[in-house]
C-alpha cells in the first residue's frame, strides 16, 4: 500500500514525460478553430484546455478517468477523489489512509463559526459556504511554503496538502452552514467512525433512522465530483489557481460560479419548480396539465430548470443514477413522481420549441426531490451539497495543473472593431 502522496510522486514524472512528448511531437497541431459566433457565444465548443480527471461525452455523459459514471456509482466519494487524482480506484489500505487523513483534518477553526454567525440572517447558504472557505485562507500550506521559496516542481505537493485539508473540512463547514442558517441548534461534532459522506449526513442532524440519508449523501457526493475542465466552476477555479492563488482562494472562486442559476443553483431552482407544480395542482397533475404548465413557463420567457446542457446531448447519467435510486427507494413519493412525469413531458416540449440544443435532463433535475423526501427541505441549501463534492474535482485538477507546470491562464480577447477589420 502506498499513500496518495507516494502514488502521485510515482505517477507525476510519467505524466510530465508524456506531456512533454505530446508537446514535442504535436505542439503545432490545431485542436480547434474559433468562429466569431463562438467568441460571442461563451466559447462553446472551443477546445482550448487539457483536463485528464474526467471527460464529458455529448452522447454518454461523464467519464471519470476512463470509467463511465454509471459503472462506478457504488464507490465512495473518497474513492472517487483518489480516482480523480491518480487514475486508480484505491485499494483498501490506500482508502483507509486517505480516510484517516480526511478525518485528521476535519476540524474547522473556531473563527469560521464566528464569521458565519456574524453574517446577515438572510445570507444565501452558498455565500456563507464560500465565505467560510475564503476565511480559512490563512491556513494555506502552499502560500506559506511559496513565501519561503518553494521550488516550482514541488508546487503540486503543497496544493495537494491544502486540497486534502480543505476537502476534509467541507462536510463540517457545510453542515455548520445548514445548522446556523436554518436555526437547527448547536453544531454536531464529527464522528470519526463514519466515512466522509456518512459523516456529513450525521453532522446535518436530520433524522435518519434507516441510514437512507447517509446512503443518498454518499451517492450525491460521488456523482457531483467533476465534469471536465471548461464548466463555469472548474474553469473559474483553475483560472484563479493559475495565478498561483492557493486552493482556498481558487475553490471559493470556482464555487461562486457554481452558485449561479444556470449552473449549480439549478438544483434549488428545480425543486422550487416542482413544488410550484405540486402547489398549483394540489398534487400530481396529469401529463396534459404538466405539458401546458411547462409551455406556459417557456412562453413567459423562463427556462425549465434541470433541463439542457452546454455539452451533453443525452439524458445525463447523473440524472439516471438519481432516478434509479428514487425508483428503488421512494417510488410513490408525490414530489419524486412529478420529477418522473416531467422526464416524460419536458424533452418533447423542448424539442417542439426548438431552442434548447439539448432537451434532456441534467444532474439537477432529480436530486432535489430525493433530498426533500429524506428531510432536507431547505432547498436553498442544495448547491452547498453540490459544492462539497465539486471541490474534489477542482482540487484534483489544480494539483495536476501545477504538477504539469501549466502556466497562467490568459486567452486573448478581441474587439468588435478587430472583427470588422480582420474576420
Ligand atoms: N429551458 C428553456 N430554454 C432553454 C433550456 C431550458 N432548460 N435550455 C436551453 N434553453 C434555451 C437557451 O436559453 C437559449 O435560448 P436563447 O437563444 O433565447 O438565449 C437556447 O435554448 C440555446 O441554448 P443552448 O445552446 O441549448 O444552451 P446553453 O449551452 O447556452 O446553456 C444551460 C446550457 C444549462 C445553461 C441551459 O440549458 C439552461 O439554462 N438550462 C436550465 C438551467 C439548468 O438546468 N442548469 C444546470 C446545468 C447543469 C450544471 O451545470 O449544473
Amino acid at each position: 500500500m502506498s499513500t496518495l502522496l507516494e502514488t502521485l510522486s510515482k505517477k507525476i514524472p510519467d505524466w510530465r514525460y508524456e506531456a512533454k512528448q505530446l508537446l514535442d511531437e504535436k505542439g503545432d497541431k490545431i485542436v480547434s478553430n474559433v468562429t466569431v459566433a463562438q467568441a460571442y457565444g461563451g466559447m462553446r465548443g472551443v477546445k482550448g484546455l487539457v483536463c485528464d480527471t474526467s471527460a464529458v461525452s455529448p452522447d454518454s455523459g461523464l467519464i471519470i478517468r476512463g470509467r463511465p459514471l454509471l459503472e462506478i456509482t457504488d464507490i465512495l466519494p473518497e474513492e472517487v477523489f483518489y480516482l480523480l487524482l491518480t487514475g486508480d480506484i484505491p485499494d483498501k489500505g490506500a482508502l483507509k489512509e486517505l480516510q484517516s487523513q480526511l478525518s485528521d483534518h476535519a476540524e474547522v477553526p473556531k473563527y469560521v463559526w464566528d464569521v458565519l454567525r456574524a453574517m446577515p440572517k438572510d445570507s444565501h447558504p452558498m455565500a456563507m459556504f464560500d465565505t467560510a472557505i475564503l476565511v480559512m485562507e490563512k491556513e494555506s500550506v502552499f502560500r506559506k511554503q511559496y513565501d519561503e521559496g518553494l521550488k516550482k516542481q514541488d508546487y503540486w505537493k503543497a496544493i495537494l496538502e491544502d486540497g486534502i485539508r480543505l476537502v476534509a473540512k467541507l462536510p463540517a463547514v457545510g453542515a455548520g452552514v445548514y445548522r446556523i442558517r436554518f436555526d437547527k441548534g448547536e453544531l454536531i461534532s464529527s464522528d470519526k467512525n463514519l466515512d466522509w459522506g456518512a459523516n456529513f449526513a450525521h453532522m446535518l442532524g436530520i433524522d435518519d433512522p434507516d441510514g437512507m440519508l447517509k446512503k443518498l449523501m454518499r451517492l450525491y457526493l460521488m456523482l457531483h465530483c467533476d465534469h471536465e475542465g471548461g464548466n463555469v466552476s472548474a474553469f473559474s477555479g483553475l483560472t484563479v489557481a493559475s495565478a498561483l492563488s492557493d486552493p482556498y482562494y481558487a475553490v471559493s472562486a470556482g464555487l461562486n460560479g457554481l452558485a449561479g442559476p444556470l449552473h449549480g443553483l439549478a438544483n434549488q431552482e428545480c425543486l422550487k419548480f416542482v413544488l410550484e407544480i405540486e402547489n398549483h395542482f394540489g398534487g400530481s397533475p396529469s401529463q396534459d396539465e404538466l405539458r401546458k404548465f411547462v409551455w406556459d413557463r417557456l412562453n413567459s420567457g423562463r427556462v425549465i430548470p434541470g433541463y439542457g446542457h452546454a455539452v451533453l446531448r443525452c439524458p445525463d447519467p447523473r440524472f439516471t443514477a438519481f432516478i434509479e435510486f428514487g425508483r428503488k427507494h421512494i417510488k410513490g413519493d408525490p414530489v419524486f413522481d412529478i420529477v418522473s412525469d416531467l422526464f416524460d413531458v419536458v424533452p418533447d416540449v423542448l424539442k417542439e420549441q426548438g431552442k434548447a440544443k439539448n432537451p434532456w435532463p441534467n444532474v439537477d433535475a432529480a436530486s432535489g426531490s430525493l433530498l426533500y423526501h429524506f428531510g432536507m427541505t431547505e432547498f436553498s441549501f442544495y448547491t452547498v451539497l453540490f459544492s462539497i463534492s465539486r471541490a474534489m474535482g477542482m482540487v484534483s485538477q489544480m494539483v495536476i495543473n501545477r504538477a504539469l507546470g501549466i502556466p497562467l491562464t490568459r486567452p486573448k480577447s478581441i474587439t468588435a472593431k478587430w472583427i470588422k477589420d480582420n474576420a
Side-chain angles (χ1 to χ4, degrees):
M1 189 278 295
S2 45
T3 65
L4 190 48
L5 182 65
E6 286 162 355
T7 304
L8 282 171
S9 299
K10 271 187 226 135
K11 287 185 176 242
I12 282 171
D14 292 345
W15 293 345
R16 284 177 174 158
Y17 180 75
E18 184 190 52
K20 186 172 176 320
Q21 292 278 97
L22 285 174
L23 280 167
D24 287 348
E25 283 168 27
K26 295 173 184 270
D28 58 353
K29 295 278 185 280
I30 290 171
V31 290
S32 230
N33 290 308
V34 184
T35 62
V36 171
Q38 285 172 310
Y40 268 111
M43 297 189 284
R44 203 72 85 262
V46 176
K47 299 186 190 81
L49 300 163
V50 179
C51 171
D52 284 326
T53 54
S54 67
V56 179
S57 147
D59 50 13
S60 62
L62 179 60
I63 298 165
I64 301 177
R65 291 282 192 176
R67 294 167 191 262
L69 181 76
L70 291 177
E71 290 177 14
I72 52 169
T73 49
D74 57 340
I75 67 175
L76 290 171
E78 303 91 302
E79 291 178 286
V80 91
F81 188 29
Y82 192 100
L83 175 64
L84 287 165
L85 277 162
T86 66
D88 301 328
I89 293 184
D91 59 25
K92 269 195 180 151
L95 173 62
K96 218 166 161 241
E97 166 75 27
L98 175 58
Q99 286 179 321
S100 67
Q101 267 180 294
L102 292 172
S103 160
D104 289 348
H105 292 291
E107 195 165 324
V108 178
K110 186 185 161 294
Y111 60 78
V112 171
W113 307 129
D114 297 339
V115 170
L116 293 185
R117 288 199 174 98
M119 286 181 77
K121 261 324 293 168
D122 56 352
S123 299
H124 193 279
M126 278 300 289
M128 296 174 76
F129 189 71
D130 295 354
T131 300
I133 294 174
L134 197 54
V135 87
M136 290 192 287
E137 191 279 332
K138 72 187 207 63
E139 312 294 333
S140 173
V141 171
F142 175 78
R143 179 161 62 90
K144 186 166 176 296
Q145 294 188 358
Y146 183 86
D147 290 346
E148 290 163 3
L150 183 66
K151 285 202 278 282
K152 189 173 177 184
Q153 72 253 38
D154 290 334
Y155 286 174
W156 70 268
K157 292 183 188 161
I159 299 291
L160 177 67
E161 187 60 38
D162 272 349
I164 290 174
R165 292 183 187 199
L166 177 57
V167 166
K169 291 174 179 52
L170 294 183
V173 172
V177 166
Y178 181 72
R179 297 193 64 81
I180 292 169
R181 176 63 179 75
F182 299 107
D183 291 324
K184 301 285 179 184
E186 291 298 301
L187 301 181
I188 297 171
S189 311
S190 142
D191 178 345
K192 284 196 176 241
N193 298 314
L194 292 173
D195 58 81
W196 188 74
N199 195 23
F200 173 54
H202 154 75
M203 288 184 283
L204 288 167
I206 297 171
D207 203 25
D208 184 25
D210 49 6
M212 284 306 294
L213 185 66
K214 291 188 182 66
K215 204 175 160 106
L216 175 61
M217 281 308 156
R218 290 188 190 105
L219 179 69
Y220 195 111
L221 296 177
M222 186 273 160
L223 291 180
H224 287 80
C225 64
D226 201 39
H227 220 227
E228 67 173 45
N231 64 76
V232 167
S233 49
F235 187 56
S236 318
L238 290 176
T239 299
V240 171
S242 80
L244 300 186
S245 299
D246 61 59
Y248 295 86
Y249 282 126
V251 171
S252 174
L255 295 180
N256 288 332
L258 197 73
L262 295 189
H263 194 11
L265 201 81
N267 58 9
Q268 117 172 21
E269 297 295 298
C270 197
L271 188 70
K272 216 197 281 176
F273 172 57
V274 174
L275 294 181
E276 256 171 51
I277 295 174
E278 197 193 27
N279 240 334
H280 182 83
F281 294 101
S284 282
S286 70
Q287 294 215 344
D288 282 344
E289 289 171 320
L290 206 50
R291 197 168 294 110
K292 183 174 179 316
F293 194 88
V294 170
W295 267 115
D296 286 348
R297 183 170 165 117
L298 285 177
N299 290 335
S300 69
R302 300 174 73 193
V303 297
I304 307 302
Y307 282 77
H309 200 271
V311 177
L312 288 172
R313 297 294 178 259
C314 65
D316 190 331
R318 299 169 298 177
F319 169 82
T320 308
F322 279 133
I323 278 282
E324 278 173 7
F325 185 97
R327 287 190 180 138
K328 192 162 166 201
H329 298 294
I330 64 164
K331 209 168 162 32
D333 174 277
V335 175
F336 178 73
D337 284 352
I338 294 175
V339 168
S340 276
D341 289 346
L342 280 168
F343 182 37
D344 293 333
V345 166
V346 174
D348 285 342
V349 173
L350 286 177
K351 279 186 216 163
E352 205 180 322
Q353 192 208 27
K355 273 170 74 173
K357 293 191 189 66
N358 176 39
W360 301 108
N362 60 55
V363 64
D364 296 323
S367 56
S369 62
L370 302 174
L371 297 168
Y372 195 77
H373 176 89
F374 289 109
M376 187 184 282
T377 53
E378 299 82 0
F379 44 84
S380 64
F381 183 69
Y382 293 174
T383 312
V384 172
L385 306 180
F386 195 152
S387 304
I388 294 174
S389 176
R390 188 51 64 88
M392 294 190 289
M394 283 196 248
V395 163
S396 305
Q397 294 190 31
M398 284 170 204
V399 169
I400 291 162
N401 281 9
R402 295 294 78 74
L404 296 183
I406 305 291
L408 185 79
T409 304
R410 185 32 171 119
K412 176 86 184 85
S413 58
I414 47 177
T415 59
K417 180 169 181 328
W418 189 95
I419 296 175
K420 278 183 211 147
D421 296 346
N422 296 283

